[in-house]
Amino acid sequence: MKLSYLVSLLSFISQAQSVLEVIQAATPPRSDLGTPTCRQEVFTHDFGNSYGSPYVGYYTPPSHCVYSTTIFNLSVVSKGRQYDRLATLWLGDVEVWRTSTAMPTQTGIHWSFQKDMTIWDTLLRSQDPQKIIFELNNIIDGDRYTGVFNATLEALYFNDVYEGKDGLHPAEHIYAISTQSSPSNTTSLFSLPGDSGAVNLTFPRNAKTAVVSIMASGNGAEEFWFTNVPTEYINTFPGNEGWLYGYSPFREVQLLIDGQLAGVSWPFPILFTGGVDPGAWRPIVGIDAYELPSFEIDVTPWLGLLTDGQPHNFALRVVGYDISAEDGIGPVGENWWVSGSVFVWVDKTSKQTTTKGFKSEISSPLFDFQPTLGTFIAADGILEDHERRAESSSFLEPRCFVF
Ligand SMILES: *[C@@H]1O[C@H](CO)[C@@H](O)[C@H](O)[C@H]1NC(C)=O
Ligand SMILES: *[C@@H]1O[C@H](CO)[C@@H](O)[C@H](O)[C@H]1NC(C)=O
Ligand SMILES: *[C@@H]1O[C@H](CO)[C@@H](O)[C@H](O)[C@H]1NC(C)=O
Ligand SMILES: *[C@@H]1O[C@H](CO)[C@@H](O)[C@H](O)[C@H]1NC(C)=O
């Protein structure tokens, strides 16, 4: 055997056995991550049989470090057989990162992902120790599920200069729309539709800007909500009742302030690494799998109502399409994991914010639904006629918010 052939064969084998990097295609949070002013490890924790046992610790800002930008670098290694798992990172009651895992192989995988945490600056700079909770519910049962997720969270700090007349001004207050369970060392996700999704918050009287940021993802009968059918069709295939999940493929996440609709968002379908075909997500996971997106609703027009020094109710709700409802809006299945945070900036030169002439007009979404679907199966079992109203246009007209 030629030596060169042997060498390339050996290198092929060692490559095949080396730990595979599984990436997510995404724009890095910063063009250069290589030269931080300082860095520190936040925690390292092995998630074996970890159902209901999150990592709980404390975050302290670095001492003697001048910085403006904080980037978290989450790194995970895993080896064996394991499902994809959802994981959430919390600063106290506030969810700051929702991620999911890649599925490991027998020879092992690893990944690192970076997220810019600077919007949470007020929590991260807090001189009181800030509780940090990372939940990754995993199962090890000895023979079927063997893959532990070994996770390390590291913080990188950069002394960036922010352009513009105001420079960097992170929100002075951040409030949680969550179950606020961190005192008992657990995460604070609402499970909808079972939970209330609501909290009462009292704003500072001199608030000048307020933005609500929401995270929401479907789970169980709602993981593939975008393939669900209108409820009246769940028994379409005789003998296969219950195979189709209901409430339609439309989902709207709503924010209500004192019971009034203040904004909505339509979630983006996330395919986790166990979804559709697990082989498709290695070595590149689906869009947003390592950083599930949040969406923001500017509630500044509501400040006239919110700066009266009284508590106000902030509620999150997930709704679907219901053919029998007048406005088309109906319930959803189990379940959606939902949480939100409210970023509030204050005007330090003023004691009381006032507004004039606020009124809101919100249109209902318009649905045009063409349900005609005909099939005919001949006596010999051949599908002979498959008539569809393909020409009919199905559309959804988004809501319109005018303040
Ligand atoms: C993130 O952490 C991993 C593991 O410690 C390391 O290999 C990687 O270089 C880090 N990434 C950055 C941008 O610092
Ligand atoms: C919560 O976790 C912290 C940090 O690990 C620990 O010091 C504390 O005792 C825990 N509290 C409860 C109520 O379990
Ligand atoms: C991951 O954690 C498990 C359980 O603690 C441990 O046996 C294994 O050696 C760890 N793997 C790595 C690469 O650190
Ligand atoms: C919010 O306040 C109202 C009125 O006091 C009360 O009925 C409701 O239970 C409170 N909701 C929460 C989530 O605390």
Side-chain angles (χ1 to χ4, degrees), residues 19 44-48 77-79 109 140 146-151:
V19 177
T44 173
H45 191 77
D46 300 332
F47 292 89
V77 299
S78 186
K79 187 175 169 166
I109 61 162
I140 300 288
T146 59
V148 172
F149 290 103
N150 309 69

Side-chain angles (χ1 to χ4, degrees), residues 117-168:
M117 307 303 287
T118 311
I119 57 163
W120 314 104
D121 197 77
T122 303
L123 301 178
L124 293 169
R125 259 182 231 269
S126 157
Q127 286 311 307
D128 308 324
Q130 176 68 59
K131 193 175 270 185
I132 189 157
I133 302 179
F134 187 64
E135 181 169 72
L136 195 167
N137 285 335
N138 193 25
I139 293 175
I140 300 288
D141 64 359
D143 90 43
R144 228 170 356 150
Y145 303 122
T146 59
V148 172
F149 290 103
N150 309 69
T152 301
L153 185 70
E154 189 190 23
L156 314 179
Y157 305 92
F158 299 86
N159 196 19
D160 291 327
V161 174
Y162 287 78
E163 302 291 333
K165 83 172 171 31
D166 289 336
L168 173 69

